[in-house]
Amino acid sequence: MKKNKLWTILFISILTVLCISIGIKGFRKDTSYKPKPVPKRIVLIGHIDNNPYWQVVNKGAEEAAAERGCILEYMSAKDGSLKDGIRQLDMAIASKADGIITYVQEEEQYTSYINKGIEKEIPIVTIDTDAESSNRIAFVGSDNMAAGEAAAKALIKSAKSSGSIGIIVGSNSVTNQKERVKGFEDFIKENSRLKVEAVEASDFSVLQAELVTKKILKDKPYVDYLYCTSALDGVGAAKAVNELGLSNKIKIVCFDDMTETLDYVREGIILATILQDPYKMGYKSLEVVMDKIEGKQIQTQYDIAFKVIDKGNVDKYNVK
Ligand code: BGC
């Protein structure tokens, strides 16, 4: 009986030592386990769904995100309204994104949201159009005053010495649209006898651009040239000119390279279009946010060069 008890005690002791050593081993193994770092989540807020320009911006950002090993979430609004833009920015801040890249519809309205995000230590970059008075960490986009000036030069190059101009802007309150008008008007005033006779807004809608073009040409039938400051405006204006049978009389200078824009350049209705580099804007802005997150040095301004496209080079430039 005593012998049996002794054997039992011995057996239990061996078992306990075994369990403890296995446990310690297992425990040790656990401590050597290193979880994979969670990839950073960057939100890119574009403007309006139906403008292909933003799909190219997104493509550039996506490729940079794949290279930097982060997750990119893209969003833009169906109607491109101010309300939706701000709601998307606010949502991105509330969802604790690691970084945000945003288009700015109205600087005054966006500034407090951008500053709120920055206070929460979310790096925010403005893209395509700026909110300089906010605490955004950087702006990535074209020099829009210079782009307006380039549009004026292109028009003067092909225009008669005098004549009348109608302007169609995407919006009267978006900074880059205002700058494109200012750069254009200043240069026209100083360097020609051409006169700006009307400015109408399209709300970034092809249909609305078509309607306001018809209005300008009805109210001021002496207008010879149209200057359009967003991609959709150029296409809408050219459609209206075609429909009114005025393609031999009215000539257009506009922005960007929608397929229809390039066709109108080939046909000669559009004299020139200012080509920005939306791919590079998307790519660069993603890099800037990630550089900031990784503690690298960044600038506050990144100027993305633009080109002037006309009949002479329309089939030669590189499309991304
Ligand atoms: C422009 C952009 C602009 C955008 C608005 C484009 O056609 O050229 O720079 O901000 O439209 O969605």
Side-chain angles (χ1 to χ4, degrees), residues 195-234:
K195 257 187 101 186
V196 174
E197 299 279 356
V199 182
E200 294 280 346
S202 71
D203 280 335
F204 297 102
S205 142
V206 177
L207 183 66
Q208 194 57 23
E210 210 178 318
L211 293 176
V212 296
T213 302
K214 286 182 178 167
K215 180 179 180 293
I216 292 177
L217 297 178
K218 185 168 169 266
D219 295 350
K220 309 208 157 133
Y222 48 86
V223 161
D224 316 276
Y225 304 101
L226 294 168
Y227 169 51
C228 307
T229 60
S230 100
L232 305 166
D233 303 336

Side-chain angles (χ1 to χ4, degrees), residues 6-300:
L6 253 171
W7 274 115
T8 316
I9 291 169
L10 194 67
F11 179 71
I12 290 172
S13 316
I14 291 171
L15 207 68
T16 314
V17 170
L18 254 172
C19 287
I20 290 172
S21 69
I22 288 170
I24 288 173
K25 243 184 160 184
F27 181 68
R28 273 202 198 120
K29 211 173 180 182
D30 274 349
T31 55
S32 67
Y33 169 74
K34 277 202 188 105
K36 267 195 186 167
V38 181
K40 299 293 177 199
R41 185 174 63 89
I42 312 299
V43 177
L44 165 60
I45 306 164
H47 178 212
I48 191 163
D49 287 353
N50 68 353
N51 187 348
Y53 179 89
W54 288 102
Q55 285 144 29
V56 184
V57 171
N58 185 29
K59 192 173 167 214
E62 261 178 357
E63 288 190 18
E67 283 167 24
R68 300 293 288 254
C70 59
I71 295 166
L72 180 73
E73 271 173 30
Y74 175 75
M75 52 180 89
S76 66
K78 217 181 177 108
D79 60 355
S81 67
L82 172 69
K83 200 173 116 233
D84 277 352
I86 285 186
R87 188 178 49 80
Q88 288 173 338
L89 176 57
D90 206 25
M91 262 166 48
I93 295 168
S95 74
K96 298 193 172 70
D98 294 300
I100 299 174
I101 302 162
T102 187
Y103 172 73
V104 177
Q105 306 211 23
E106 281 185 32
E107 185 163 353
E108 302 77 45
Q109 306 285 338
Y110 271 59
T111 296
S112 62
Y113 290 90
I114 294 175
N115 292 352
K116 179 169 89 177
I118 297 285
E119 270 161 35
K120 291 184 189 288
E121 293 181 3
I122 302 174
I124 301 183
V125 168
T126 51
I127 186 168
D128 181 69
T129 184
D130 197 11
E132 208 183 345
S133 57
S134 74
N135 296 331
R136 51 80 171 144
I137 59 161
F139 166 63
V140 179
S142 310
D143 177 340
N144 287 291
M145 286 284 281
E149 194 176 308
K153 279 184 195 158
L155 198 147
I156 290 173
K157 198 172 125 191
S158 324
K160 295 173 276 173
S161 58
S162 62
S164 302
I165 305 169
I167 299 183
I168 296 128
V169 280
S171 155
N172 284 314
S173 47
V174 176
T175 304
N176 69 359
Q177 302 292 300
K178 290 194 272 189
E179 289 172 345
R180 288 174 197 180
V181 172
K182 172 117 181 56
F184 178 86
E185 282 193 313
D186 288 355
F187 195 85
I188 290 282
K189 253 186 227 152
E190 280 163 29
N191 299 284
S192 79
R193 291 196 344 252
L194 295 160
K195 257 187 101 186
V196 174
E197 299 279 356
V199 182
E200 294 280 346
S202 71
D203 280 335
F204 297 102
S205 142
V206 177
L207 183 66
Q208 194 57 23
E210 210 178 318
L211 293 176
V212 296
T213 302
K214 286 182 178 167
K215 180 179 180 293
I216 292 177
L217 297 178
K218 185 168 169 266
D219 295 350
K220 309 208 157 133
Y222 48 86
V223 161
D224 316 276
Y225 304 101
L226 294 168
Y227 169 51
C228 307
T229 60
S230 100
L232 305 166
D233 303 336
V235 172
K239 273 191 178 163
V241 166
N242 249 352
E243 274 171 29
L244 296 171
L246 294 173
S247 56
N248 286 326
K249 180 180 178 281
I250 314 282
K251 298 295 171 204
I252 301 168
V253 173
C254 65
F255 271 76
D256 303 320
D257 63 344
M258 282 171 71
T259 315
E260 296 96 316
T261 313
L262 300 178
D263 288 342
Y264 287 125
V265 171
R266 288 184 191 100
E267 285 171 35
I269 299 175
I270 294 181
L271 287 174
T273 185
I274 308 300
L275 185 77
Q276 302 179 85
D277 195 339
Y279 177 91
K280 202 162 180 190
M281 273 185 216
Y283 190 95
K284 189 75 212 170
S285 56
L286 192 289
E287 277 199 326
V288 174
V289 171
M290 284 305 290
D291 281 352
K292 181 73 183 177
I293 290 172
E294 289 167 7
K296 296 179 190 150
Q297 199 68 26
I298 61 156
Q299 297 164 205
T300 54

